[in-house]
Amino acid sequence: MTLDITADGVIKTRLQNLKQATTGDHQHIDDMVMEMAPFESRDNYARFVGMQYVFHRAVKPLYDASDLNDLIPGLSVRSRFDHVCADLADLQCSLPENTKPFPVPKTGMGRLGWLYVCEGSSLGAAFLLKAAGNIGLNAEFGARHLAGHEDGRGKHWREFVDQVNGLALSTKQEQEVIAGAIAAFDFFRTLLIEDRKLAA
């Protein structure tokens, strides 16, 4: 496990460092999502799920990567891409088209940063799932991808945290992880900006 000790003697883990490095990006994305009011109507929500589809389709290869599954056992079953597709089907929406190349790296530890963003979004989705009830959606219809793992959100997240914190990475690889997380937030920010232009 990678540990950093601050000036006041506080020990921080790899993912705590990662969270600190991306707090501003994370907050900006949360603010932009709330601005589009995804739970005011099913039309707004469908736009939100469309962006989720593009993002989860982009990161799906990371969940299937054999080398990452060696590092993080059980990674392949964590993907929520199929749930996003089912939600779009529930909403009777066609699958969004995306002709632009995905910026997701195919190799390297930067991929862990992308996975951190994707897995972290599942942890924070409890509030969103509750809000989905305002427009008649739930974990069995329309909001499947927002549902927590059957073992519990917290337990499922802690397992991922322990696995990633336990990896032995070089200083360069640590920087790649942070850069990957920032790139993932930037990618979703781009999707939100494009949606805002289309909705204007």
Side-chain angles (χ1 to χ4, degrees), residues 150-166:
E150 58 184 14
D151 291 338
R153 292 184 196 272
K155 183 176 184 294
H156 200 54
W157 169 249
R158 287 192 297 273
E159 289 175 350
F160 175 78
V161 168
D162 289 343
Q163 288 172 315
V164 175
N165 277 337

Side-chain angles (χ1 to χ4, degrees), residues 30 42 102 182 185:
D30 285 350
R42 287 200 178 186
F102 295 134
I182 292 173
F185 281 122

